[in-house]
Amino acid sequence: MKFGIIGAGMIGHFHAKAITAMTGGELHSVFDLRAEPAEKLAKEYGAKPYTDMAEFLADPELEIVTVGTPSGAHLDPSLAALNAGKHVICEKPLEITTDRIDQLIAAAEKNGKTIAAVLNRRFHPGMDAFKKATDEGRFGTLTNASCYVKWYRDQAYYDSAGWRGTWALDGGGALMNQSIHTVDALLYLAGPVKSVQANTACLAHERIEVEDIVVAIVEFENGARGVIECSTCTWSKDGHPARVQLSGTEGSVFLADEAFEIWDFMEEKPEDAEIKSTLMKGQEAGLGANDPNAINFYQHQRNFEEVVNAIKEGREPTTSSAEARKPVELIQAVYESAQNGGKKVEL
């Protein structure tokens, strides 16, 4: 399929690398309102540059677009692409409210096109093994399910672009921007949430509207309890990994980025030995913990390949808009609780 990229910033470059490496897709065109970034990215990958959205979307060869604009500016380009008859893969969060996501879902259905999300942290061998263990019921009764994103962003990060740290375009702070993939992983593994109680603060940054730390107590539909703890004010020389931890009456697994700190089950299986020899935590630094550029594009590549395969097979991708809606719904509930003195919010 012929891809076009909307947004020639940092994320646009990751998309270009992933599209170039993937099976089943090729980079065809790039759109950005700013001519210089559009031309630079397009030239680097042999694509067509555009600064006019209507012209970009009118190209009959263009089949699918990826959207890498600021979080609160995903709706308009995604709607325009869907209404022009293109499939869409949109960066996280799909949009910053469930109401906007529902508009995108409706537009996709109306136009008979697919809208999918970038949920790239689902696509690595550690997550594959973790998901298999949960699907097989290896934890027994799930009792604990938590996630932790203790990252760092300096003041210059927020000062570098006017949209950063705003409700309108960032949709929130440490939770909505930096932690949504880890929240998605928690839901993907532990299932839906029943209620949350939360507290947020801005402790270490100036001139931003949003939180740089959040702590939430979570009750899952299956009865498990857990914590969501996220920040951009937790300094570390190499950066702490993003963690997802599940425990139950028959097992515990602690994932740190793409490797396991704990893989421990009452009833062992043959594959456990290989997991312990190949996927346990070593000396690697946290991915993107201190530097937002320090992420791997192969997860985007697998994400894009999954969407293309789903379109060809006439099915919903595993990173569908419905899946992408779930973490945004939970994050909205966390913010509602925090803004109302930590009251319990039912989902």
Side-chain angles (χ1 to χ4, degrees):
M1 297 185 73
K2 292 191 175 179
F3 275 73
I5 295 173
I6 297 177
M10 180 186 77
I11 293 297
H13 283 264
F14 281 114
H15 288 191
K17 290 177 182 177
I19 293 163
T20 302
M22 72 181 286
T23 300
E26 64 179 80
L27 183 56
H28 177 70
S29 55
V30 175
F31 165 81
D32 199 291
L33 287 170
R34 304 161 299 163
E36 186 177 343
E39 290 168 2
K40 181 181 177 183
L41 183 58
K43 183 178 180 181
E44 186 174 347
Y45 290 92
K48 299 179 187 177
Y50 289 89
T51 56
D52 183 286
M53 177 70 82
E55 288 182 17
F56 169 75
L57 293 175
D59 183 345
E61 293 189 342
L62 178 63
E63 298 171 89
I64 183 168
V65 303
T66 69
V67 178
T69 54
S71 301
H74 288 169
L75 180 66
D76 289 345
S78 297
L79 281 178
L82 290 167
N83 290 331
K86 315 300 181 185
H87 301 289
V88 175
I89 307 174
C90 186
E91 263 297 340
K92 58 82 180 170
L94 186 53
E95 247 295 348
I96 59 174
T97 69
T98 52
D99 287 345
R100 293 188 187 187
I101 291 173
D102 291 342
Q103 290 183 54
L104 292 172
I105 291 171
E109 290 176 353
K110 176 185 173 185
N111 291 288
K113 297 297 173 183
T114 292
I115 181 160
V118 173
L119 301 177
N120 54 298
R121 283 210 174 208
R122 290 188 180 193
F123 292 93
H124 60 84
M127 185 59 70
D128 295 341
F130 206 160
K131 179 62 172 170
K132 184 172 183 284
T134 61
D135 289 348
E136 291 175 350
R138 296 190 66 190
F139 291 90
T141 298
L142 192 66
T143 54
N144 305 91
S146 298
C147 70
Y148 306 91
V149 181
K150 298 181 180 182
W151 284 4
Y152 184 75
R153 295 290 183 267
D154 61 16
Q155 185 64 42
Y157 166 82
Y158 288 103
D159 293 342
S160 67
W163 65 273
R164 296 194 188 280
T166 66
W167 285 108
L169 288 174
D170 227 349
L175 183 60
M176 181 68 87
N177 187 312
Q178 282 75 26
S179 305
I180 190 166
H181 285 310
T182 311
V183 172
D184 172 67
L186 184 65
L187 294 172
Y188 181 57
L189 295 165
V193 165
K194 182 179 180 181
S195 69
V196 295
Q197 294 172 270
N199 186 289
T200 63
C202 183
L203 300 180
H205 295 96
E206 300 173 342
R207 300 180 298 281
I208 65 172
E209 302 169 356
V210 297
E211 84 288 349
D212 60 14
I213 189 164
V214 55
V215 179
I217 299 169
V218 182
E219 179 182 356
F220 291 85
E221 291 283 1
N222 56 28
R225 265 57 169 184
V227 172
I228 295 173
E229 186 178 338
C230 309
S231 75
T232 52
C233 54
T234 311
W235 188 85
S236 169
K237 183 165 63 74
D238 295 320
H240 301 298
R243 291 180 163 92
V244 183
Q245 303 180 351
L246 266 63
S247 298
T249 56
E250 297 176 20
S252 293
V253 172
F254 295 0
L255 180 71
D257 281 338
E258 300 178 18
F260 296 110
E261 295 172 315
I262 301 289
W263 182 274
D264 193 12
F265 289 103
M266 186 183 296
E267 298 293 332
E268 294 193 344
K269 290 194 170 187
E271 66 259 32
D272 292 346
E274 183 179 355
I275 288 167
K276 288 180 178 180
S277 68
T278 61
L279 294 176
M280 298 305 291
K281 185 70 179 167
Q283 72 283 358
E284 64 275 9
L287 295 175
N290 282 5
D291 178 5
N293 289 291
I295 61 174
N296 296 325
F297 71 84
Y298 87 90
Q299 295 180 11
H300 278 79
Q301 176 187 336
R302 282 188 59 189
N303 198 146
F304 294 170
E305 288 171 346
E306 158 61 15
V307 177
V308 167
N309 289 336
I311 291 168
K312 290 179 177 178
E313 294 163 15
R315 60 174 174 84
E316 280 286 282
T318 58
T319 62
S320 68
S321 50
E323 285 294 292
R325 190 184 190 278
K326 294 175 182 178
V328 174
E329 181 184 32
L330 174 54
I331 289 169
Q332 282 187 162
V334 169
Y335 287 151
E336 181 185 345
S337 174
Q339 290 161 6
N340 288 278
K343 78 166 186 177
K344 181 181 281 191
V345 175
E346 305 280 341
L347 277 82

